[in-house]
Amino acid sequence: MHSEENWDNIISPKKSLFAIDFKEIWKYRDLLIMFVKRDFVTLYKQTILGPIWFFLQPIFTTTIYVFVFGNVAKLSTDGSPKILFYMSGIILWNYFAECFNKTATVFKDNQNIFGKVYFPRLITPLSIITSSLLKLSIQFLLFLVILAYYVLFLSYQIDINIQLLLLPLLILLMAAISLGFGLIITSLTTKYRDLVFLLQFGVQLLMYATPVIYPLSSLPDKYRWIIELNPMTSIIETFRYGILGSGSFSWNNLIYTTVFAFFIVSIGTLVFNKTERKFMDTV
Amino acid sequence: MSKNIAIKVENLSKQYRLGQVGTGTISHDINRWWHLMRGKEDPYLKIGESNDRTSKGNSEYVWALRDINFEVEKGEVLGIIGKNGAGKSTLLKLLSKVTSPTTGAIKTKGRIASLLEVGTGFHPEMTGRENIYMNGTIMGMSRQEISAKLDEIVEFAGVSRYIDTPVKRYSSGMTVRLGFSIAAHLEPEILIVDEVLAVGDAEFQKKAIGKMQDVSKGQGRTVLFVSHNMASVKSLCTRAILLENGTVTYEGKVIDVIKYYQDNLVEDNMSFKEWSGDNRPGNEFLKINNVRVEPINSGVIDVESGINLTYEFEHFKENTLLSSTVELSTIEEVVVFHAGCQITPNKDSKYGTYQVKLEIPANLLNCGKYKLKLIFGENSKYLLYQITDILFFEIENSTNKLNSLKLPGIIKPKLNFSTQLL
């Protein structure tokens, strides 16, 4: 046989580091939809309250935060009603934390499927951020209902800024940052499990380095830059500025976050791509 | 171009690291990285031993496959046979892209579907219908394709009554049938099948084999079939390759390869096998320490000696009804018997080592080559562990001249004839 044959598929050890097959991922989009559907259909099976849990979780958390940070510690809320202030931070932070925690264990959680069938592995983390996005949307609706209640019955002076239109970008940035970090951690933990322990408390502690329970303005100028280094800071501040009129908005910080998100999601995807072909041997 | 090749495997090798991943591993990683950074070869690729489980190697690295080369023509059904640990599963994993090779390449034409397992991704809480979509999309079908074939899949699996019932309510047989049915309707150009046919009842196995024959003969698709079961390999495949210790040792017509394999096993004829530590066959429930066959009285195992079969295993579960079954087959895969006992009938199994002894009476089995399968179960319901081909042994013909004629038949009993002149 002289002629080089046209093979459809060549499986070989060395693949370029940058070879991410977006066409293939697109081909498997139905699988992504099925994963999202599975997450929703099975999440609240055999519970009495079912999907109501989507609402209860932020309501309980907000109540506790209002009591502990608002009434006991008396932290500033920049003049916004405490409930709206905390809840706006919580639903965004929950989205970030959930995406991060779940993508960070994606290899471990799916080793049974990954060990038996090939499909583009990136589908799984992408399905995670999509499922969480649905949850975020539901919780955002809850937030809007409560906001409406404040406006209608408590004569709350609504103060919405044009920056609220940036919300889709903010969500995209959160998804990218959590995906990027999550992919790096899940790739590193296939061989060395050490980072799993860091993750267990790391995400929780990270919340305190983000203006979720306090406004950025309450910090002394000397230390503010440290918190501003956290890419999540400008996301939460921009959201609050947009919908509550409190907090701060700075294009510089937002651009910094955008560059950071792009950088980390690129690194994460590359590392993940490199790991996915070998991880079954080490996990 | 005379041949139409669907799969071409070139110098394929796969290396694994044995033992634990721990703090020691990072020094290897750093050393490897340092070599690669300077443009040198990976230092750990040079070392490594061939994959032979019986000899204890010195190296931490082992070649599960080494320099495999073969081609499969379009429409051919190729059987891949070999002993446990010969590298069959590794080859399957490479072919299905679950893990990537260390060196070499696999070139293929057309969509590949691999069935290392049926029903991958099934979620017990979802209904049969939802799981068909779930499993189908995992294997690369689009939702439209699945919708078009949904009725066929359901009918083939014979679960139409339960299609909107959660899969957790299915019997294990129904789950397997549904899983296989989805895979059978995938219509890939190349189908890779592991021993999934070993599950399910006899009727369904027949149906499944029939379906696979249709797929290859009727639709001109290529099938790779990996199995221990020589009978199904023989009935399904046209050609076969034999893997031994990670290399292809024989390739050819299926009948020749199976004959070579079976003749070759005589060298493996051992009346005693023993393992220790993590090398023991088993799983998290139990591990087998040793298996032994010996004549009831001293001497050799022959038709008149009778056989004592003994095996010991360590059991890791307490307070269960532990049972064990011995299946004796001839080398031609004819089952001679399948007999079991309850080891702890009162659900009081202990954490510890159990010994099972079984006496096969003299003057029962004919001379020839036999092999053993051990099965362990719990509460008469659940399979804990099973292992085929754990021991091969030969029963010799009698040394007694009056009885030394080799006769046909699996058994050679001494029967009480009574004769009289009427």
Side-chain angles (χ1 to χ4, degrees), chain B residues 28 36 39 46 83 85 95 137 153 181 195 212 221 237 303 308 334 389 404 418:
Chain B
H28 280 202
L36 293 176
K46 291 179 202 152
K83 281 184 276 181
L95 283 165
T137 48
I153 293 174
S181 179
E195 288 179 285
M212 281 173 53
R221 295 174 207 283
C237 304
V303 177
N308 271 330
V334 179
D389 302 355
S404 68
S418 65

Side-chain angles (χ1 to χ4, degrees), chain A residues 5 8 11 30 192 281, chain B residues 14 29 106 109-110 143 168:
Chain A
E5 296 194 48
D8 291 338
I11 305 170
D30 282 342
Y192 304 107
D281 307 342
Chain B
K14 176 74 184 173
D29 281 352
I106 303 168
K109 263 184 229 161
R143 298 209 300 171
K168 65 177 174 182

Side-chain angles (χ1 to χ4, degrees), chain B residues 39-96:
Chain B
K40 290 193 179 175
E41 209 185 320
D42 184 342
Y44 298 106
L45 278 188
K46 291 179 202 152
I47 58 175
E49 327 200 338
S50 77
N51 171 16
D52 186 353
R53 287 180 307 155
T54 47
S55 67
K56 186 153 166 48
N58 303 315
S59 167
E60 274 185 273
Y61 293 89
V62 74
W63 290 97
L65 288 177
R66 188 131 210 195
D67 291 330
I68 304 272
N69 284 288
F70 66 89
E71 288 177 352
V72 191
E73 279 179 55
K74 189 166 177 288
E76 191 171 46
V77 185
L78 180 79
I80 299 171
I81 57 181
K83 281 184 276 181
N84 284 325
K88 299 188 302 284
S89 315
T90 308
L91 182 59
L92 278 189
K93 277 186 186 163
L94 294 178
L95 283 165
S96 38

Side-chain angles (χ1 to χ4, degrees), chain A:
Chain A
M1 259 183 305
H2 286 291
S3 59
E4 258 307 298
E5 296 194 48
N6 40 339
W7 301 101
D8 291 338
N9 197 352
I10 296 180
I11 305 170
S12 63
K14 287 206 177 67
K15 233 169 54 177
S16 160
L17 192 57
F18 297 93
I20 297 164
D21 199 341
F22 290 106
K23 228 164 97 187
E24 196 186 25
I25 292 176
W26 178 245
K27 226 186 81 196
Y28 274 88
R29 63 190 181 279
D30 282 342
L31 178 58
L32 193 151
I33 297 170
M34 280 312 296
F35 274 139
V36 172
K37 195 173 166 195
R38 179 194 64 185
D39 288 350
F40 261 72
V41 169
T42 59
L43 187 59
Y44 293 114
K45 277 273 163 81
Q46 296 209 351
T47 61
I48 296 166
L49 296 177
I52 296 173
W53 282 110
F54 280 125
F55 300 113
L56 291 184
Q57 192 262 349
I59 288 174
F60 284 145
T61 319
T62 306
T63 314
I64 297 291
Y65 282 13
V66 167
F67 177 70
V68 175
F69 300 117
N71 294 343
V72 177
K74 296 201 179 358
L75 293 179
S76 151
T77 58
D78 252 3
S80 308
K82 289 190 181 104
I83 290 178
L84 294 178
F85 179 85
Y86 289 119
M87 188 173 264
S88 61
I90 286 166
I91 58 173
L92 284 203
W93 181 261
N94 275 352
Y95 177 67
F96 173 78
E98 188 176 305
C99 290
F100 189 12
N101 280 325
K102 282 195 180 162
T103 45
T105 51
V106 78
F107 276 132
K108 208 176 95 236
D109 295 346
N110 293 283
Q111 52 176 300
N112 284 336
I113 295 183
F114 285 3
K116 297 294 183 191
V117 173
Y118 172 82
F119 54 86
R121 305 305 191 210
L122 264 178
I123 290 285
T124 324
L126 289 175
S127 78
I128 291 170
I129 57 175
T130 316
S131 305
S132 307
L133 184 64
L134 286 177
K135 197 168 153 188
L136 172 69
S137 321
I138 295 171
Q139 296 184 347
F140 186 65
L141 281 180
L142 171 72
F143 178 78
L144 290 182
V145 168
I146 294 177
L147 183 66
Y149 175 81
Y150 264 82
V151 172
L152 294 177
F153 298 102
L154 301 173
S155 60
Y156 166 67
Q157 210 52 34
I158 196 160
D159 185 7
I160 287 177
N161 286 309
I162 187 79
Q163 276 80 359
L164 188 59
L165 293 178
L166 288 171
L167 185 61
L169 174 73
L170 299 181
I171 293 171
L172 194 70
L173 290 177
M174 280 194 294
I177 295 170
S178 55
L179 190 65
F181 277 122
L183 293 181
I184 292 172
I185 290 193
T186 192
S187 304
L188 294 180
T189 47
T190 57
K191 203 159 188 184
Y192 304 107
R193 295 272 167 91
D194 304 51
L195 280 172
V196 175
F197 299 103
L198 180 67
L199 188 73
Q200 280 168 3
F201 58 86
V203 176
Q204 224 173 349
L205 289 185
L206 198 61
M207 189 186 84
Y208 294 99
T210 312
V212 174
I213 53 158
Y214 54 85
L216 189 62
S217 62
S218 69
L219 294 173
D221 288 347
K222 244 193 339 192
Y223 301 118
R224 193 178 294 177
W225 66 272
I226 301 176
I227 299 299
E228 277 177 334
L229 272 184
N230 176 353
M232 281 298 291
T233 298
S234 68
I235 293 174
I236 295 202
E237 283 287 312
T238 306
F239 178 60
R240 281 201 184 127
Y241 183 74
I243 203 152
L244 298 177
S246 72
S248 60
F249 174 72
S250 133
W251 278 112
N252 285 344
N253 287 355
L254 200 61
I255 287 168
Y256 161 74
T257 300
T258 311
V259 172
F260 186 94
F262 184 77
F263 176 75
I264 202 78
V265 80
S266 309
I267 299 278
T269 316
L270 291 183
V271 175
F272 185 83
N273 197 36
K274 192 171 156 49
T275 313
E276 66 161 37
R277 290 173 296 125
K278 281 279 169 67
F279 98 100
M280 274 318 297
D281 307 342
T282 49
V283 74

